[in-house]
């Protein structure tokens, strides 16, 4: 699968290329690596010298967040105009404008920085580990803790954690598309390559960020962090993350505001200049109008919503790699999920060994224990084994076999892959007799066995019908003590069956019901037997269970598959390519798709989905491909995440709809008033203060309650809908503004100061209190109650605005006391205004159309996702240019005394 277009380039000067051109013994000698790997103390010393194995930092940077607040060109122009006004004598206005801009930026900074800190804390909880040989035994360590000289084990599905010079390779192939753009995997071996070999031809190295496509291997780390080839490319990427659908919607909405603000600002400035009003006042007023129509705190509202949502989700054991992924999670219509650990407990228990013919149950168990591709620790247990191997070794029956196994020796391994669906080993028994053992999916193992009795097939069908997982074990004599090949997996004798139990979770039926009420369709995609998967789904109450197998999918084109997906609940015995195809075809129907998986065979589908979901115990390649990580593999937890995403989106849209409609109405009123008033309808500082108070009251929107109907269906950005809402409700706001103008001029005969004060109070009241009508499609307060914080802040801001003319700040702000009768008129206008909005709301929503569903572009999605796993909260180091020895230059000394020990430092991006 082609994921990037990074060109192949010569890297003869790179550490990997230099190591690949030399024999492994020379590389180990230069790095001063003993036979048992580095000691923990030596690894700690090297980590201190070379720094963490990271190319990025996920540390929250205060200066970067502050720059996001200050980079608005409107704010820059406003500050520039304020400085000019200060030097031309309008010092009080300039100071007031400066203070308001600082407060607005400070408020946004505080909320966004808090959200960044939340994201940093969430990122720190996601762990990526590698199996290394340290202190003479295999152990798991953090990927960021690897150092040059570490000896690393590679298995199927691993993401290579650093640039490695291979020491062993058994059928090893790596997918290097993230580096070279080539979709086909590359075969690996341990032979040196010629000096100057290009990146794509370094067969003796496994490169950071690439994926083990099949086979296994062992290699020594020669470069970490930004010194690795992947690190050099990833460090050169822009720090800008890939946009999600939610961010695309925000950007499009912002462009809409830019066009509206630009048109109004230009028009108002021209009108005021044409009417011979002071130039500086006209400039400040038009810029203030532009700032006023822009929801300045929209990023803060969004960040506050996402940060609050992520904290709630974290308490529910859901971690998001990026906060905005919460919004996308709420858009999901269809969820494809695996079976094991999702519908079932995932705590696989070994039940029994079923022998065939003369084989005993103890022999079948012994063969199953011996047939594993992972390294074993000093207790003889596999390190980082698969769940079935772990269940077998943890069973009481295995304890009696460990003493017997000590006399057996594993000679070679042919690792598991998803085409063969088997693992094969050659072993020698205590009498030095060599035997080949194969363990895997019963269908594929039985195909390679001779003379399988019919009762065995019947017993196997009975186990599947009972919902049990079964692994077949077969043997035959081996001709020599060598590593097996796929050609050796023939003419086998079936030794027996290993039966495992993975029962359904007790509360998963309830979780499936919740997802159904949220409008999510759940479908099962599994490599397990179709009878087992269907039995589990039936026990959980899933109705209309249609079943398709991988063989069925191969016989369908995409059009037939699209139709079949609608009527199918279980897809069984499917390959990784099948899973990705199912997701891709489902996406073409227009719905948003999530995929939940935790294995290497799920990575393609995770990448293909709109939202990839994995678990903390998943394989590295699955966690790398996922957007959301579940600390607990529970559909109930996932339902919480979907509902939370929809709540956040609903609350964000409340602010957007209210801000665009009321702000547009108020600014349109200001433009109209400029035509007939001999003075500015409101001072620039008053417009900014009005906008600041109004936005401050809306910071409580993330705490608001959301109507159930908004949670029970996905929601999407619809700029056309927002534009129609603005055009519909903006004039209603303007209508009451013009009524206020009439009352101030013809009833109270107001002068400029009183007029400014009256419109300030009325506009703040109407645009703040309208949130109670806009926040719901129901009747407010009666059928939909706002949250207490939102109610208190809205009423508090309105009260503050009404009280400001009576305070000592009135003269500074350009206010004066208003007559009591005006407040009675304002109260009546607010009530009528809200009633009119309620009537307009019912008419508007009755005619509203469903939004279109945009398809997000992937861009460098794979590269950025993979780079995220090589990150720390500390500052990574950037390599500095140094002269490297050529391939034929003698190398002497160990790592602590050679040029290699003077590794370049890397710095943060």
């Amino acid at each position: 699968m082609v994921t990037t277009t990074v060109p192949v380039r010569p890297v003869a000067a790179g550490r990997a290329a230099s190591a690949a051109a030399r024999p492994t013994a020379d590389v180990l000698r230069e790095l001063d690596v003993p036979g048992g790997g580095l000691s923990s103390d030596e690894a700690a010393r090297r980590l201190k010298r070379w720094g963490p194995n990271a190319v990025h930092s996920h540390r929250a940077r205060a200066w970067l967040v502050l720059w996001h607040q200050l980079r608005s060109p409107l704010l820059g122009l406003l500050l520039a105009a304020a400085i000019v006004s200060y030097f031309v004598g309008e010092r009080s206005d300039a100071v007031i404008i400066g203070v308001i801009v600082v407060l607005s930026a400070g408020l946004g900074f505080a909320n966004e920085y808090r959200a960044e800190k939340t994201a940093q804390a969430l990122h720190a909880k996601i762990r990526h580990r590698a199996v290394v040989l340290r202190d003479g035994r295999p152990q798991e360590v953090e990927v960021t803790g690897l150092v040059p000289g570490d000896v690393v084990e590679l298995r199927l599905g691993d993401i290579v954690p650093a640039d490695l010079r291979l020491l062993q390779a058994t059928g090893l192939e790596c997918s290097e598309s993230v580096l070279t753009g080539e979709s086909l995997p590359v075969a690996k071996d341990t032979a040196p390559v010629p000096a100057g070999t290009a990146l794509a031809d370094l067969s003796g190295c496994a490169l950071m960020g690439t994926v083990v496509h099949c086979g296994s291997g062992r290699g020594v780390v020669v470069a970490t962090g930004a010194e690795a080839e992947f690190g050099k490319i990833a460090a050169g990427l822009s720090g800008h993350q890939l946009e999600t659908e939610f961010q695309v919607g925000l950007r499009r909405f912002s462009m809409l505001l830019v066009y509206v603000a630009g048109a109004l600002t230009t028009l108002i400035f021209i009108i005021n200049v044409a009417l011979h009003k002071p130039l500086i006042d006209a400039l400040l007023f038009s810029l203030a109008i532009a700032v006023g129509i822009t929801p300045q705190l929209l990023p803060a509202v969004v960040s506050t919503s996402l940060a609050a949502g992520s904290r709630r989700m974290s308490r529910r054991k859901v971690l998001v790699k990026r906060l905005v992924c919460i919004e996308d999670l709420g858009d999901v219509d269809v969820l494809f999920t695996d079976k094991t650990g999702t519908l079932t407990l995932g705590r696989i228990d070994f039940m029994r060994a079923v022998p065939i013919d003369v084989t005993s149950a103890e022999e079948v168990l012994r063969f199953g224990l011996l047939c594993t591709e992972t390294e074993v620790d000093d207790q003889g247990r596999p390190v980082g084994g698969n769940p079935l191997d772990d269940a077998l070794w943890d069973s009481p029956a295995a304890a009696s076999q460990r003493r017997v196994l000590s006399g057996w020796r594993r000679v070679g391994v042919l690792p598991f892959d998803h085409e063969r669906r088997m693992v094969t080993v050659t072993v020698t028994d205590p009498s030095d007799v060599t035997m080949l053992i194969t363990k895997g999916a019963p269908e594929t193992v039985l195909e390679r066995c001779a003379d399988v009795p019919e009762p065995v097939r019947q017993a196997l069908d009975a186990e599947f019908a009972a919902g049990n997982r079964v692994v077949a074990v077969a043997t035959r004599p081996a001709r020599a003590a060598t590593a097996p090949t796929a050609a050796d997996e023939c003419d086998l004798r079936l030794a027996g069956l290993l039966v495992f139990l993975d029962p359904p979770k007790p509360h998963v039926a309830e979780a499936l019901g919740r997802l159904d009420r949220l409008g999510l369709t759940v479908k099962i995609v599994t490599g397990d037997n179709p009878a087992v998967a269907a039995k589990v789904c039936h026990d959980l109450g899933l109705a209309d269970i249609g079943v398709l197998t991988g063989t069925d999918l191969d016989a369908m084109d995409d059009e037939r598959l699209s139709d079949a997906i609608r009527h199918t609940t279980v897809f069984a015995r499917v390959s990784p390519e099948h899973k990705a195809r199912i997701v891709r075809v489902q996406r073409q129907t227009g719905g948003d798709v999530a995929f939940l998986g935790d294995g290497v065979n799920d990575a393609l589908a995770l990448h293909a989905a709109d939202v990839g979901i994995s678990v903390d115990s998943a394989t590295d390649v699955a966690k790398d491909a996922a957007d959301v990580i579940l600390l607990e593999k529970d559909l109930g937890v996932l339902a919480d995440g979907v509902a939370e995403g929809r709540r956040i989106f609903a609350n964000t849209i409340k602010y957007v709809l209210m801000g665009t409609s009321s702000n547009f109405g108020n600014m349109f009123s200001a433009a109209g008033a400029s035509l007939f008033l001999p003075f500015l309808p409101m001072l620039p500082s008053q417009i900014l203060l009005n906008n600041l108070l109004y936005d401050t009251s809306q910071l409580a929107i993330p705490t608001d309650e959301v109507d159930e109907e908004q949670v029970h269906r996905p929601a999407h950005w619809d700029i056309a809908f927002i534009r129609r809402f603005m055009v519909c409700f903006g004039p209603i706001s303007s209508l009451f503004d013009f009524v206020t103008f009439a009352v101030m001029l013809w009833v109270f005969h107001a002068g400029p100061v009183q007029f400014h004060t009256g419109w300030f109070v009325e506009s703040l009241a109407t645009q703040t209190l309208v949130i109670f009508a806009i926040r719901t499609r129901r009747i407010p307060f009666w059928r939909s109650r706002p949250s207490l914080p939102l109610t208190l802040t809205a009423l508090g801001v309105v009260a503050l605005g009404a009280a400001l003319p009576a305070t000592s700040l009135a003269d500074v702000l350009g206010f004066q006391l208003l007559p009591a009768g005006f407040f009675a008129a304002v109260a009546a206008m607010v009530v009528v205004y809200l009633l009119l909005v309620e009537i307009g709301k019912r008419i508007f929503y009755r005619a509203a159309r469903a939004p279109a569903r945009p398809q997000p572009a992937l861009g460098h999605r794979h590269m950025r996702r993979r780079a995220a796993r090589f990150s720390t909260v500390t500052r990574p180091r950037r390599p500095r240019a140094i002269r490297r020895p050529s391939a034929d230059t003698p190398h002497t000394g160990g790592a602590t005394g050679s040029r290699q020990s003077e590794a370049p430092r890397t710095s943060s991006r």
Side-chain angles (χ1 to χ4, degrees):
M1 179 175 177
V2 178
T3 56
T4 95
T5 56
V6 179
V8 178
R9 55 188 173 81
V11 288
R15 291 178 180 271
S18 176
R22 303 200 309 278
T24 56
D26 290 352
V27 176
L28 290 172
R29 184 168 55 254
E30 179 183 342
L31 291 171
D32 195 16
V33 181
L38 300 178
S39 67
S40 297
D41 291 340
E42 175 62 20
R45 283 192 291 270
R46 297 190 184 193
L47 182 64
K48 185 176 180 181
R49 173 180 291 271
W50 276 297
N53 180 32
V55 296
H56 285 306
S57 169
H58 55 257
R59 183 179 71 253
R61 294 181 175 87
W63 65 267
L64 190 58
V65 176
L66 182 60
W67 168 243
H68 288 163
Q69 296 296 319
L70 299 178
R71 66 181 179 181
S72 166
L74 288 176
L75 284 181
L77 287 173
L78 194 63
L79 286 173
I83 292 172
V84 171
S85 65
Y86 179 86
F87 286 105
V88 298
E90 302 292 338
R91 297 188 174 184
S92 59
D93 280 354
V95 171
I96 293 171
I97 292 171
V99 169
I100 291 171
V101 169
V102 169
L103 288 175
S104 178
L107 199 58
F109 168 80
N111 282 278
E112 285 204 54
Y113 185 64
R114 185 184 183 191
E116 290 285 335
K117 294 291 286 185
T118 299
Q120 173 182 308
L122 293 178
H123 196 117
K125 293 181 181 179
I126 300 173
R127 295 284 183 259
H128 299 286
R129 298 182 179 275
V131 177
V132 303
L133 188 65
R134 281 190 185 172
D135 300 318
R137 58 186 177 85
Q139 53 186 285
E140 291 186 330
V141 301
E142 291 286 337
V143 165
T144 54
L146 291 178
V147 296
D150 265 327
V151 177
V152 178
E153 300 291 340
L154 296 178
R155 298 163 300 178
L156 176 68
D158 283 351
I159 296 174
V160 180
D163 282 356
L164 309 178
R165 175 64 170 97
L166 291 173
L167 307 175
Q168 297 176 12
T170 305
L172 182 63
E173 294 183 6
C174 292
S175 174
E176 298 182 342
S177 59
V178 73
L179 282 178
T180 66
E182 295 295 332
S183 58
L184 295 177
V186 179
K188 298 292 182 178
D189 54 43
T190 60
V193 299
T197 298
L199 180 68
D201 299 320
L202 295 182
S203 57
C205 284
L207 301 174
M208 175 195 266
T210 62
V211 179
V212 178
H213 180 264
C214 64
S216 61
R218 171 182 287 185
V220 60
V221 176
V222 296
T224 59
E227 277 286 291
E229 296 305 321
F230 176 85
K232 295 173 185 176
I233 298 173
L237 288 175
S238 166
H240 176 65
Q241 292 286 335
L242 177 71
E243 286 186 320
T244 67
E245 180 181 336
F246 176 70
Q247 289 174 309
V248 170
L250 273 180
R251 179 168 49 79
R252 291 174 178 168
F253 168 63
S254 299
M255 289 307 299
L256 170 66
L257 292 180
V258 167
Y259 296 142
V260 174
L264 277 179
T265 301
T266 304
L267 178 63
I268 293 171
F269 180 71
I270 292 174
I271 290 174
N272 280 275
V273 171
L275 294 175
H276 305 291
K277 294 176 182 177
L279 182 63
I280 190 64
D281 287 349
L283 176 62
L284 284 172
F285 181 71
S286 59
L287 289 175
I289 291 293
V291 173
I293 199 174
T294 306
Q296 290 293 314
L297 294 187
L298 177 60
V301 170
V302 172
S303 299
T304 302
S305 296
L306 294 175
S310 67
R311 287 191 293 271
R312 287 192 293 269
M313 291 175 70
S314 180
R315 289 194 292 269
R316 292 181 173 93
K317 301 183 179 180
V318 181
L319 303 182
V320 287
K321 289 185 176 180
R322 298 173 59 200
L323 293 179
V324 289
C325 293
I326 300 174
E327 298 276 1
D328 289 339
L329 186 58
D331 290 342
V332 170
D333 305 283
V334 179
L335 170 67
F336 291 101
T337 176
D338 61 355
K339 174 182 67 70
T340 304
T342 306
L343 302 184
T344 62
L345 285 174
R347 190 189 65 243
I348 300 174
D349 296 321
F350 173 66
M351 297 175 62
R352 60 184 176 272
V354 180
I356 304 299
D357 295 335
V358 298
T359 309
S360 66
E362 288 77 13
E363 284 181 300
V364 176
L365 176 61
R366 186 183 313 138
F367 294 152
L369 292 170
L370 287 168
C371 190
T372 179
E373 62 185 281
T374 57
E375 294 295 321
V376 296
D377 60 19
D378 47 11
Q379 279 80 43
R381 285 184 49 84
V383 178
N386 63 63
L388 290 174
D389 277 349
D390 290 342
L392 201 61
W393 279 89
D394 289 337
S395 66
S400 62
Q401 293 291 323
R402 292 182 181 175
R403 183 176 59 83
V404 179
L405 291 175
S406 62
W408 292 71
R409 183 169 57 90
R410 189 172 63 181
V411 178
V413 180
L414 180 59
F416 178 92
D417 65 55
H418 296 289
E419 286 76 28
R420 295 167 37 255
R421 294 165 53 214
M422 299 182 298
V423 58
T424 297
V425 300
T426 50
V427 296
T428 57
D429 66 10
S431 303
D432 285 333
V433 175
T434 304
M435 175 185 294
L436 182 143
I437 306 173
T438 295
K439 180 175 72 176
E443 297 94 325
T444 55
V445 174
L446 264 59
E447 287 177 357
R448 292 162 172 78
C449 291
D451 301 325
V452 178
E454 186 59 29
V456 172
R457 299 185 186 276
Q458 295 173 356
L460 183 61
D461 291 339
E463 296 289 357
F464 286 150
N468 296 328
R469 300 188 66 176
V470 183
V471 172
V473 180
T475 65
R476 73 169 177 81
R479 290 185 295 272
T482 58
T485 66
D488 296 325
E489 296 173 328
C490 62
D491 298 325
L492 302 173
R493 182 183 67 86
L494 184 65
L497 306 175
L498 300 172
V499 182
F500 298 84
L501 176 65
D502 187 14
K505 289 183 177 180
H507 303 296
V508 74
E510 178 185 348
L512 288 170
R514 284 188 60 197
L515 290 171
D516 182 64
R517 291 190 295 274
L518 288 170
L520 258 74
T521 301
V522 179
K523 298 180 182 294
I524 311 305
V525 185
T526 178
D528 208 347
N529 181 273
V532 174
K535 174 68 165 58
V536 171
C537 292
H538 182 271
D539 291 345
L540 293 172
L542 285 175
D544 302 324
I545 301 174
V547 180
L548 286 178
T549 65
T551 304
D552 298 328
L553 299 183
D554 290 334
M556 297 180 181
D557 59 19
D558 284 357
E559 184 176 353
R560 289 181 58 199
L561 178 57
S562 177
D563 183 65
I565 288 175
R566 292 198 296 269
H567 311 291
T568 304
T569 304
V570 175
F571 300 86
R573 287 302 191 214
V574 289
S575 68
E577 290 76 14
H578 287 141
K579 294 181 180 182
R581 183 186 174 205
I582 292 168
V583 171
R584 186 181 67 253
V585 170
Q586 176 63 35
R587 286 192 69 201
Q588 291 172 357
T589 64
D592 283 5
V593 178
F595 187 91
L596 171 58
D598 62 358
V600 59
N601 56 331
D602 298 318
L604 288 177
L606 286 165
H607 276 302
D610 293 290
V611 181
I613 307 168
S614 192
V615 293
D616 194 39
S617 58
T619 60
D620 278 348
V621 69
K623 286 195 290 186
D624 172 73
D627 303 294
V628 178
I629 305 293
L630 306 181
L631 296 183
E632 184 176 307
K633 199 173 186 181
D634 185 352
L635 288 180
V637 171
L638 182 58
D640 291 338
V642 171
E644 191 63 46
R646 294 180 183 176
R647 289 190 184 97
I648 292 171
F649 186 86
N651 282 334
T652 302
I653 289 298
K654 290 175 187 178
Y655 177 84
V656 168
L657 294 180
M658 183 187 64
T660 52
S661 58
S662 59
N663 281 7
F664 175 73
N666 285 338
M667 299 310 104
F668 185 77
S669 301
S674 298
L675 294 175
F676 63 86
L677 286 177
F679 50 83
L680 294 177
M682 197 185 297
L683 297 179
S685 59
Q686 293 168 347
I687 292 176
L688 294 176
L689 178 60
N690 183 298
N691 192 53
L692 176 65
L693 292 175
Y694 153 75
D695 273 342
T696 302
S697 72
Q698 307 317 308
L699 285 176
I701 284 180
T703 70
D704 193 26
E705 305 294 335
V706 175
D707 298 338
E708 285 301 312
E709 60 267 23
Q710 291 179 283
V711 176
H712 288 168
R713 64 175 184 272
H716 307 272
W717 278 97
D718 186 358
I719 301 304
F721 174 85
I722 296 172
R723 186 168 54 246
R724 291 195 303 272
F725 194 96
M726 180 177 70
V727 172
C728 177
F729 290 92
I732 297 177
S733 175
S734 291
L735 174 63
F736 283 87
D737 286 336
F738 285 116
V739 172
T740 302
F741 299 162
V743 169
M744 294 301 299
L745 293 174
W746 298 334
V747 176
F748 296 102
H749 307 288
V753 176
Q754 193 176 56
F755 187 94
H756 296 159
T757 308
W759 189 34
F760 177 90
V761 172
E762 181 271 341
S763 65
L764 182 62
T766 54
Q767 71 175 350
T768 301
L769 297 178
V770 77
I771 183 59
F772 296 120
I774 289 178
R775 60 170 293 276
T776 177
R777 297 190 181 192
R778 300 177 179 180
I779 299 174
F781 293 102
W782 183 29
R783 296 191 58 199
S784 178
R785 296 182 180 179
S787 68
L788 182 61
L790 179 61
T791 303
L792 294 178
T793 53
L795 295 177
V797 163
V798 172
L800 177 61
L804 275 177
T807 66
S808 57
L809 294 174
D811 290 339
V812 177
L813 298 173
F815 293 147
Q816 72 177 51
L817 280 174
L818 294 168
F822 173 78
F823 289 102
V826 167
M829 284 189 292
V830 168
V831 171
V832 175
Y833 171 63
L834 295 180
L835 289 175
L836 191 58
V837 168
E838 194 66 27
I839 295 171
K841 184 176 72 176
R842 296 188 175 281
I843 297 173
F844 178 82
Y845 282 121
R846 194 175 296 126
R849 298 190 296 269
R853 296 172 180 271
Q855 293 295 333
L858 293 182
H860 286 91
R861 179 179 183 178
H862 294 60
M863 171 68 80
R864 296 186 189 283
R865 276 180 168 178
R866 198 152 297 168
R869 76 190 306 271
F870 300 103
S871 68
T872 63
V873 74
T874 58
R875 294 172 64 89
R877 302 173 181 180
R878 172 173 296 176
R880 63 172 185 257
I882 62 172
R883 184 178 64 84
R884 300 180 185 278
S886 62
D888 56 354
T889 300
H891 295 270
T892 59
T896 56
S898 68
R899 291 180 61 88
Q900 184 82 4
S901 68
E902 297 303 319
R905 304 282 178 166
T906 61
S907 60
S908 65
R909 289 244 323 105

